Amino acid sequence: MDYNQVILITGGAGFIGSHVIRKMLIQYPDYLIVNLDKLTYAGNLNNLKDIENKPNYKFENIDINNEKDIQDLFEKYLFDGVIHLAAESHVDRSISNPGEFVKTNVVGTLNLLNVCRKNWVSFEDKCFYHISTDEVYGSLGETGFFHETTSYDPRSPYSASKASSDHLVRAYGHTYGLPIKISNCSNNYGSHQFPEKLIPLIINNIQNNKPLPIYGKGENVRDWLWVEDHANAIDLIFHKGRIGETYNIGGHNEWTNIDLVNLLCDIMDNRLSNPNGESRKLITYVKDRAGHDLRYAIDASKIQKELGFTPSLKFEEGLTNTVDWYLNNKKWLDNVTSGAYQNYYHQHYN
Ligand code: NAD
Ligand code: DAU
């Protein structure tokens, strides 16, 4: 079949990537979607089980740090666009192992930029779209928002590595004319998120009657966005965003961690038919994260005005749907917490 576009999505076996792949396959059946993923602990092909046999979907088990493998991939497929999500994504892991974050997030991104620059004979109608985070802007006080023009001030090894990759992507746009786009998004939540991140961790711990760790006083604020809304925004930016531009994406939905965990406890009590207040008893204040950013909040007016993006779901509804997904997909969670999901690739692709 002649495909309208051939798109490379990196990190497609991860949390956000799997939602983006599913959305693209459904919305654009005339595209060939190639998923490049190293399958680190965060990559889980179970996330894509429902679409893995589609003829216009291909999986490639590649590390973005392996330049030869990426070059070979660009010789195998003539890509029209790249949506780059592959990254080490967890702040706590970046504090204990920063080197891995520099390797994948900075050098891996550089490798992809180089291979695009080298293999795209003409840059016309091409697009390198880099998915980034609001954490590059640093930490807010009690008021104010991150704008696209806010100066970078990354404060964790994770955000420093993402900031470096953003700078490299912009530099390749400026210096070589590579057609690039960047978006910086706030905290995502939804199905298929690895249970090291706050929301699935709390759901999993309540199910297993384990303590619910709250860093510091629980007063840090995050701006939460449903992952499907992030995937919608990525689709809009990839297809309609302007080359060379940056777009902030957020939910306009700020919660302190303790308020959020209390709400999750109440939803879980309701779903598990627990007595009121049962799950809240598990809340345990623990040592704060080193360098813990106080508050993130996104001004998303640019993407709203230019591309018509607004989040579709109210948070309470999205959170309830998310709880229901984890409760209905206990096998997924058990596979992830036991490590069994890591056999999937060998069983299905080797
Ligand atoms: P994730 O950790 O769930 O998934 C990352 C994916 O990248 C995994 O499938 C992993 O196997 C793959 N990967 C890691 N290193 C790789 C390498 N060297 N080569 C190839 N593949 C590799 O992450 P996520 O939460 O889905 O985040 C995806 C992207 O979105 C990241 O770039 C992250 O910085 C960004 N982001 C995430 C959030 C959020 O709230 N989760 C918010 C804003 C931006
Ligand atoms: O803002 C976007 C970023 O959001 C993304 O770029 C990152 O990839 C993503 O991991 C996320 O980073 P956070 O550090 O904000 O997410 P996390 O789920 O790890 O933590 C959310 C908040 O909850 C944060 O203030 C730390 C706190 N926390 C987290 C965990 C795991 C706890 O209090 N206890 C916990 O056990």
Side-chain angles (χ1 to χ4, degrees):
M1 174 173 169
D2 267 350
Y3 292 103
N4 196 2
Q5 287 206 39
V6 183
I7 309 296
L8 174 64
I9 298 184
T10 72
F15 165 50
I16 302 172
S18 59
H19 286 270
V20 173
I21 290 208
R22 189 171 295 100
K23 181 182 174 54
M24 290 288 180
L25 281 170
I26 292 168
Q27 198 123 329
Y28 307 100
D30 55 341
Y31 285 12
L32 177 65
I33 304 289
V34 179
N35 172 13
L36 175 167
D37 201 298
K38 179 185 173 185
L39 299 183
T40 66
Y41 79 95
N44 183 352
L45 286 176
N46 275 316
N47 294 353
L48 293 163
K49 225 172 168 170
D50 54 323
I51 53 91
E52 70 187 4
N53 292 322
K54 281 193 177 288
N56 61 331
Y57 168 74
K58 305 281 174 222
F59 174 69
E60 297 282 349
N61 187 203
I62 289 175
D63 181 344
I64 54 171
N65 289 303
N66 188 326
E67 288 174 73
K68 181 174 180 312
D69 282 358
I70 318 177
Q71 175 56 34
D72 289 349
L73 189 71
F74 270 68
E75 285 168 19
K76 185 168 167 189
Y77 299 101
L78 295 176
F79 292 115
D80 298 291
V82 176
I83 305 179
H84 175 36
L85 294 116
E88 287 293 336
S89 69
H90 191 42
V91 174
D92 291 330
R93 286 181 192 252
S94 83
I95 294 167
S96 45
N97 188 9
E100 203 55 40
F101 284 68
V102 173
K103 213 165 100 189
T104 286
N105 299 0
V106 185
V107 182
T109 301
L110 181 71
N111 290 338
L112 282 170
L113 288 165
N114 280 335
V115 95
C116 289
R117 187 182 155 222
K118 184 172 152 199
N119 288 272
W120 283 343
V121 182
S122 152
F123 290 163
E124 211 183 326
D125 296 327
K126 300 285 191 287
C127 174
F128 183 95
Y129 176 15
H130 177 60
I131 308 301
S132 193
T133 170
D134 59 357
E135 300 198 11
V136 298
Y137 298 123
S139 181
L140 291 164
E142 285 179 4
T143 58
F145 294 94
F146 295 136
H147 307 272
E148 283 82 359
T149 51
T150 301
S151 301
Y152 274 35
D153 183 23
R155 292 148 49 100
S156 71
Y158 164 68
S159 53
S161 69
K162 291 297 289 188
S164 310
S165 61
D166 291 11
H167 288 319
L168 279 169
V169 172
R170 280 197 194 94
Y172 269 60
H174 185 76
T175 309
Y176 306 112
L178 197 77
I180 61 103
K181 299 176 186 180
I182 299 180
S183 57
N184 297 85
C185 187
S186 62
N187 287 60
N188 285 214
Y189 71 95
S191 70
H192 302 92
Q193 188 170 30
F194 194 84
E196 63 186 352
K197 307 279 165 61
L198 181 67
I199 290 178
L201 178 104
I202 296 294
I203 294 172
N204 187 44
N205 284 15
I206 293 175
Q207 271 188 285
N208 292 295
N209 202 30
K210 283 189 183 161
L212 311 180
I214 305 286
Y215 297 164
K217 294 182 178 158
E219 286 166 356
N220 304 66
V221 173
R222 297 292 182 264
D223 170 1
W224 293 94
L225 180 73
W226 188 38
V227 63
E228 293 286 339
D229 281 328
H230 190 188
N232 288 340
I234 289 173
D235 174 22
L236 272 175
I237 293 169
F238 182 69
H239 287 98
K240 297 190 178 143
R242 285 180 291 141
I243 292 291
E245 290 293 317
T246 295
Y247 295 89
N248 278 354
I249 311 168
H252 214 69
N253 177 41
E254 292 180 48
W255 287 77
T256 62
N257 292 335
I258 188 62
D259 286 347
L260 166 56
V261 170
N262 277 328
L263 175 62
L264 258 180
C265 285
D266 296 346
I267 296 172
M268 287 291 284
D269 283 345
N270 173 286
R271 287 308 202 243
L272 299 173
S273 305
N274 284 340
N276 280 347
E278 183 76 1
S279 297
R280 288 188 186 207
K281 289 184 198 153
L282 295 170
I283 290 176
T284 310
Y285 289 91
V286 299
K287 189 166 172 263
D288 208 353
R289 173 184 278 173
H292 198 172
D293 287 340
L294 177 67
R295 175 173 166 258
Y296 305 142
I298 283 278
D299 172 357
S301 51
K302 177 173 172 180
I303 187 171
Q304 187 191 346
K305 282 190 198 127
E306 230 177 78
L307 304 178
F309 171 77
T310 44
S312 68
L313 262 196
K314 280 219 156 56
F315 190 49
E316 285 78 352
E317 190 186 347
L319 211 52
T320 306
N321 290 350
T322 302
V323 164
D324 287 342
W325 186 84
Y326 284 98
L327 293 179
N328 293 330
N329 290 275
K330 214 172 161 305
K331 201 166 160 212
W332 182 93
L333 204 51
D334 288 345
N335 259 330
V336 171
T337 48
S338 71
Y341 69 105
Q342 287 176 315
N343 300 328
Y344 187 87
Y345 174 75
H346 298 290
Q347 280 162 8
H348 289 259
Y349 286 87
N350 274 356

